[in-house]
């Protein structure tokens, strides 16, 4: 059993497996060319190991020379991808150096095949057969060196310089583990291989060529670094996705809280909305009971009562449904809706509040066919918020001036909602903080109203602006893109 | 003379609730008239017969309390039962001070509602009866009665009206007799149903 054969074959096998793995990864993600380069290097290392094995078993000078030519070709196939791998992976600025190394190696390859005994030897005088420590024979060549061998040696030094420089840059840029692993492994093992081979060539060291083992180490280190960084990226991506999901949830919760606090403010108004139909149902039911107690119950009247009861029940459940939608933790759901209808529905919710505060509301809803692509609950929240702000703004206004105007208008392909009050307007020092969450100029409010409105409006591709009107009071303007007619 | 059927005026901006209240009241045999707003009620021809108001508190335009204020300026106004969406203590106190018969919260039970209406109608009957009796007084008797109610003594009244104390006593006795009042407090209550005459000399006290 030849230990040399076993060792070099295992080396070749390991390189091939790494190469296949990298090739597989590249096929899954063709955009990541580093995988392809890494695969090419691994297969080149495989070839190097096999040729080295053939070299040490060879007994014919001519064959040995040819094998040396192919050995150099394999080195070329490893070194050139390696340089570009470093370029891609460490992001070196000295691209010209990588190009220079590539051209030197191209020249080396050409020259290598011009000489029958490769670029290494001008003439191989003889093949020496040595014995390993355990007595296994292997061949090395001795003869006169080819002066051109300087070319690949210079190229190797340039590679070392290039990789070391790229590694240093990457280290400084903060990519320390990657710099150490990529540049460190390449420099260390290139040095080992690059020192051992010329020593063997010069006859100063009696061992077989062992470049392939250095290459195996390099290929392994690079593949490991790639896998590790892919793993890190995927962890980071997962964390990012989780953080995004958390943020989205927090936003939704904020909006829900905003709505809840808004509804708290409007509780009296909403209670009234619910109370009316309930009172009507009770009165109707008791009227019916009394009518049925009489011998000549009027069937028509009873039918009318039942119809009214059904209608009022629907009215009450509409209010509840509406409230539930506003309070629920639900994902936003975009639909095509008529803003005029939405405005009327929402204004109805604050009707009782307006009456109690003796505020006159003017509603100018424009054309009901002005549609927007929007989340109904979100839009209602915006309108409710603006109404509630305006109602609060009118708190200390003399009764004659308690006016609030809601108007819809159209500007090209935008819908414009204006909420204007005749209150005292917004003080200059408050103006810059209006959209800050938690900033509040009126105690008792949650203070996120406008911040939430802005978020919701902007999520719909719209804008919101606040200003004081020249004739007193404040105006909030919301613009939203109109839905295209035939989308 | 056959008693006219009492009329309950229902004033509520909620059409459905108004219809339901009208039905309920009709089952008790009342005539019912519904109005969607205080303005609509004010636009109606003045009503002089037995009846009362069932009045919603919160309405657009003139609200319940404001309507009450306007109506009670006139002593002949109908008694008012308030019906409110939410019980608001200051508002209800205000309404009761202004002479409301009752202040109910929606949804109101039929027994409470009808009892309140009955009480209001009863008050109206008393009012009408008093007014009928007051109508039989002569101008001088009325004048004397109001001054008595104001708390003036016979001598002061005589001085004020430029008549003798004895004549005052006669007018006073006749006013008590005609109105059927057996005591001064009863006379006071009755006189409240009548607006005092305002002779020119009463402008400056």
């Amino acid at each position: 059993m030849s230990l040399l054969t076993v060792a070099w074959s295992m080396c070749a096998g390991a390189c091939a497996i790494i190469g296949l793995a990298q090739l597989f990864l590249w096929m899954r993600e063709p955009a990541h060319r580093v995988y392809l380069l890494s695969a090419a290097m691994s297969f080149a290392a495989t070839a190097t190991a096999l040729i080295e094995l053939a070299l040490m078993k060879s007994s014919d000078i001519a064959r040995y020379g040819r094998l040396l030519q192919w050995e150099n070709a394999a080195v070329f196939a490893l070194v050139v991808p390696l340089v570009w791998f470093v370029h891609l992976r460490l992001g070196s600025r000295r691209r010209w150096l990588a190009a220079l190394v590539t051209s030197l190696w191209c020249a080396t390859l050409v020259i290598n095949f011009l000489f029958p005994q490769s670029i290494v030897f001008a003439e191989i005088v003889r093949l020496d057969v040595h014995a390993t420590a355990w007595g296994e024979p292997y061949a090395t060549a001795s003869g006169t060196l080819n002066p051109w061998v300087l070319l690949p040696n210079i190229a190797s030094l340039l590679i070392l310089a290039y990789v070391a420089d790229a590694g240093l840059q990457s280290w400084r840029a903060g990519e320390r583990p990657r710099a150490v692993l990529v540049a460190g492994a390449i420099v260390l093992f290139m040095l080992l291989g690059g020192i051992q081979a010329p020593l063997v060539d010069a006859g100063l060291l009696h061992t077989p060529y062992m470049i392939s083992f250095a290459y195996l180490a390099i290929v392994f280190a690079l593949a490991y670094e790639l896998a590790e960084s892919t793993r890190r990226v995927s962890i980071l991506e997962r964390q990012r996705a989780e953080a995004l999901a958390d943020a989205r949830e927090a936003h939704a919760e904020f909006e829900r809280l905003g709505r809840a606090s808004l509804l708290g403010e409007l509780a009296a108004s909403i209670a009234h909305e619910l109370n009316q139909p309930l009172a009507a149902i009770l009165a109707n039911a008791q009227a019916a009971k009394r009518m049925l107690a009489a011998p000549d119950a009027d069937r028509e009247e009873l039918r009318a009562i039942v119809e009214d009861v059904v209608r009022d029940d629907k009215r009450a459940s509409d209010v509840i449904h509406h409230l539930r939608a506003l309070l629920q933790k639900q994902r936003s759901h975009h639909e095509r809706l008529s803003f005029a209808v939405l405005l009327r529905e929402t204004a109805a919710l604050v009707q009782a509040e307006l009456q109690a505060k003796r505020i006159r509301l003017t509603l100018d809803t424009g054309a009901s066919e002005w549609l927007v692509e929007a989340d109904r609950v979100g839009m209602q929240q915006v309108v409710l918020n603006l109404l509630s702000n305006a109602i609060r703004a009118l708190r200390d206004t003399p009764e004659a001036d308690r006016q609030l105007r809601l108007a819809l208008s159209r500007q090209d392909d935008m819908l414009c909602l204006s909420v204007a009050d005749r209150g005292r307007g917004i003080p200059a020092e408050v103006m810059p903080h209006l959209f800050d969450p938690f900033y509040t100029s009126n105690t008792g409010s949650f203070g996120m109203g406008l911040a939430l409105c802005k978020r919701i409006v902007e999520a719909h591709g719209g804008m919101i602006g606040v200003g004081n009107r020249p004739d007193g009071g404040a105006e909030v303007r919301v613009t939203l893109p109109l839905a295209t007619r035939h989308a | 003379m056959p008693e006219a059927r009492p009329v309950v005026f229902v004033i509520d901006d909620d059409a459905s609730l108004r219809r339901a209240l009208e039905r309920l009241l009709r089952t008790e045999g009342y005539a019912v008239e519904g109005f969607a707003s205080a303005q609509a009620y004010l636009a109606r021809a003045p009503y002089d017969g037995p009846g009362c108001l069932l009045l919603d508190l919160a309405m657009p335009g003139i609200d319940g309390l404001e309507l009450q204020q306007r109506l009670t300026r006139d002593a002949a106004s109908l008694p008012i039962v308030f019906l409110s969406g939410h019980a608001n203590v200051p508002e209800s106190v205000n309404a009761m001070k202004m002479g409301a018969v009752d202040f109910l919260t929606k949804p109101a039970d039929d027994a409470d509602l009808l009892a309140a209406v009955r009480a209001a109608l009863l008050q109206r009957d008393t009012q009408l009866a008093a007014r009928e009796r007051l109508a039989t007084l002569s101008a001088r008797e009325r004048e004397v009665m109001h001054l008595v109610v104001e708390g003036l003594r016979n001598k002061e009244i005589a001085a004020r009206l430029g008549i003798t104390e004895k004549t005052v006593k006669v007018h006073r006795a006749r006013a008590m007799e005609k109105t059927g009042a057996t005591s001064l407090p009863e006379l006071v209550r009755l006189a409240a149903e009548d607006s005092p005459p305002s002779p020119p000399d009463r402008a400056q006290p």
Side-chain angles (χ1 to χ4, degrees):
Chain A
M1 184 71 198
S2 160
L3 273 180
L4 289 175
T5 308
V6 170
W8 263 259
S9 302
M10 278 176 64
C11 175
C15 291
I17 287 168
I18 294 173
L20 283 173
Q22 303 291 307
L23 196 62
F24 172 70
L25 288 173
W26 174 70
M27 286 194 298
R28 277 214 322 201
E29 288 179 76
H32 287 68
R33 279 173 303 166
V34 280
Y35 286 133
L36 185 62
L37 291 173
S38 175
M41 284 155 66
S42 307
F43 292 129
T46 311
T48 315
L50 293 176
I51 295 166
E52 276 177 4
L53 186 60
L55 279 170
M56 67 182 88
K57 298 288 178 188
S58 113
S59 52
D60 171 30
I61 290 179
R63 186 178 138 81
Y64 194 94
R66 264 200 311 284
L67 281 171
L68 263 186
Q69 280 179 333
W70 286 108
E71 168 85 349
N72 288 330
V75 172
F76 166 85
L78 185 133
V79 167
V80 172
L82 180 130
V83 169
W84 294 105
F85 179 95
V86 169
H87 175 73
L88 284 180
R89 211 59 201 124
L90 300 184
S92 149
R93 280 170 309 189
R94 296 186 221 281
R95 196 191 166 94
W96 62 270
L97 201 50
L100 179 62
V101 168
T102 307
S103 2
L104 283 180
W105 262 101
C106 287
T108 299
L109 192 66
V110 173
I111 295 163
N112 175 54
F113 281 103
L114 290 178
F115 292 94
Q117 288 163 347
S118 85
I119 201 167
V120 181
F121 288 106
E123 191 193 1
I124 298 175
V125 180
R126 61 166 194 282
L127 291 179
D128 299 321
V129 177
H130 309 275
T132 59
W134 60 90
E136 193 179 342
Y138 64 92
T140 59
S142 58
T144 48
L145 288 175
N146 191 331
W148 284 105
V149 79
L150 210 56
L151 198 61
N153 286 343
I154 290 171
S156 296
L157 284 175
L158 283 177
I159 292 174
L160 286 177
Y162 174 73
V163 173
D165 175 61
L168 214 60
Q169 270 180 41
S170 175
W171 172 278
R172 289 211 191 98
E175 293 280 2
R176 298 193 171 182
R178 178 185 295 183
V180 168
L181 208 55
V182 173
I186 291 173
V187 170
L188 176 65
F189 293 106
M190 285 279 288
L191 273 175
L192 286 180
I195 291 167
Q196 194 253 354
L199 288 178
V200 173
D201 290 339
L204 295 172
L205 191 67
H206 295 298
T207 64
Y209 287 121
M210 291 167 70
I211 301 174
S212 54
F213 284 92
Y215 288 172
L216 170 61
I218 291 174
V219 164
F220 178 76
L222 299 189
Y224 174 79
E225 192 276 326
L226 267 184
E228 180 62 19
S229 82
T230 307
R231 192 179 67 86
R232 268 204 311 273
V233 166
S234 76
I235 289 174
L236 279 178
E237 255 165 25
R238 201 168 55 235
Q239 285 172 344
R240 199 172 138 264
E242 280 168 8
L244 266 179
D246 283 354
R248 215 172 295 132
E249 201 153 299
H251 274 312
E253 187 61 18
F254 250 25
E255 283 177 21
R256 200 180 65 81
L257 273 179
R259 288 199 291 269
S261 101
L262 191 63
L263 291 180
E265 284 175 42
L266 300 174
S269 196
I270 290 157
H272 180 85
E273 287 303 310
L274 265 181
N275 219 6
Q276 285 307 104
L278 286 181
I281 288 172
L282 182 65
N284 265 321
Q286 289 177 332
K289 197 174 149 197
R290 288 166 163 274
M291 287 164 71
L292 287 169
D296 53 343
D298 179 349
R299 287 181 62 87
E300 273 314 303
E301 187 69 2
L302 283 171
R303 186 203 309 279
I305 285 179
V306 172
E307 273 165 15
D308 274 1
V309 166
V310 169
R311 198 168 26 243
D312 278 317
D313 188 278
K314 284 203 177 117
R315 205 168 123 203
S317 71
D318 276 353
V319 175
I320 290 171
H321 182 80
H322 187 102
L323 288 184
R324 197 183 294 143
L326 278 172
L327 285 171
Q328 248 167 15
K329 232 183 194 176
Q330 60 177 13
R331 296 228 167 277
S332 67
H333 164 68
H334 282 228
E335 61 188 302
R336 203 164 257 263
L337 42 96
S338 158
F339 216 92
V341 172
L342 182 128
L343 215 53
R344 272 196 293 271
E345 282 173 3
T346 314
L349 265 185
V350 296
Q351 198 55 47
E353 181 89 0
L354 292 172
Q355 270 169 27
K357 303 236 159 99
R358 302 180 162 273
I359 295 170
R360 277 187 303 286
L361 172 71
T362 324
L363 201 60
D364 176 5
T365 54
S368 58
E369 67 264 20
W370 290 343
L371 301 177
V372 287
E373 197 81 47
D375 173 37
R376 177 181 294 273
V377 173
M379 285 299 120
Q380 276 174 340
Q381 185 170 3
V382 170
V383 174
L384 267 182
N385 250 310
L386 299 182
L387 279 173
S388 142
N389 280 348
I391 290 171
R392 227 178 294 132
L394 289 169
R395 199 169 36 189
D396 307 323
T397 312
E399 216 175 301
D401 278 343
R402 283 189 213 155
Q403 289 173 30
L404 206 166
R405 188 178 140 81
L406 271 183
L408 275 185
S409 57
R410 189 188 165 161
Q411 285 166 1
D412 302 325
D413 51 353
M414 297 297 271
L415 184 73
C416 182
L417 164 69
S418 155
V419 182
D421 64 62
R422 300 281 308 264
R424 278 178 307 185
I426 301 157
E429 70 271 15
V430 175
M431 205 58 110
H433 303 291
L434 275 179
F435 291 105
D436 297 354
F438 300 115
Y439 182 87
T440 171
S441 57
N442 36 56
T443 47
S445 110
F446 202 43
M448 339 203 299
L450 276 177
L452 272 176
C453 286
K454 188 173 152 81
R455 238 186 67 79
I456 296 170
V457 168
E458 285 176 357
H460 283 82
M463 284 180 301
I464 184 167
V466 182
N468 283 325
R469 283 147 28 97
D471 54 339
E475 180 181 12
V476 183
R477 290 178 76 83
V478 173
T479 50
L480 288 165
L482 279 165
T484 40
R485 208 156 281 276
H486 306 288
Chain B
M1 181 180 111
E3 270 299 302
R5 213 153 54 117
V7 183
V8 181
F9 298 92
V10 179
I11 308 172
D12 197 313
D13 59 319
D14 190 306
S16 180
L17 178 59
R18 198 172 62 238
R19 252 197 328 275
L21 292 172
E22 287 170 18
R23 285 187 187 118
L24 187 59
L25 292 165
R26 263 190 231 112
T27 62
E28 274 294 287
Y30 302 128
V32 186
E33 278 186 42
F35 299 89
S37 68
Q39 288 94 324
Y41 172 71
L42 288 171
R44 186 199 184 280
Y47 176 75
D48 227 15
C52 69
L53 290 187
L54 185 57
L55 182 55
D56 182 23
L57 197 67
M59 284 185 296
I62 301 172
D63 72 7
L65 283 178
E66 204 178 324
L67 180 65
Q68 183 191 25
Q69 260 167 28
R70 288 198 191 190
L71 293 179
T72 45
R73 268 180 232 151
D74 173 12
S77 72
L78 290 168
I80 297 174
V81 173
F82 272 105
L83 199 53
S84 157
H86 40 97
N88 179 325
V89 174
E91 274 174 349
S92 51
V93 167
N94 212 351
M96 295 307 281
K97 267 192 190 159
M98 297 271 296
V101 177
D102 210 338
F103 196 98
L104 301 171
T105 308
K106 291 179 198 171
D109 202 59
D110 58 348
D112 298 338
L113 188 80
L114 294 173
V117 166
R118 262 196 302 277
L121 292 174
L122 203 64
Q123 188 177 316
R124 177 65 173 175
D125 287 346
T126 318
Q127 204 178 58
L128 289 178
R131 242 202 287 172
E132 223 167 86
R133 275 174 276 165
L134 287 169
T136 61
L137 299 184
S138 71
R140 190 54 107 188
E141 284 161 3
R142 235 179 108 209
E143 227 167 3
V144 169
M145 178 191 73
H146 280 290
L147 294 174
V148 167
V149 166
E150 258 179 55
L152 268 63
R153 272 185 257 165
N154 290 348
K155 201 192 265 176
E156 291 164 316
I157 296 171
R160 175 82 64 92
L161 298 178
I163 52 177
T164 64
E165 201 178 335
K166 198 177 170 197
T167 318
V168 171
K169 276 184 183 161
V170 171
H171 284 311
R172 182 176 176 162
R174 204 162 300 153
M176 296 280 279
E177 187 193 324
K178 280 185 177 173
T179 57
T182 53
S183 65
L184 188 60
E186 210 179 327
L187 188 69
V188 170
R189 217 171 39 244
L190 273 170
E193 303 298 342
D194 189 32
S195 15
S198 31
D201 62 325
R202 271 174 53 91
Q204 56 270 7

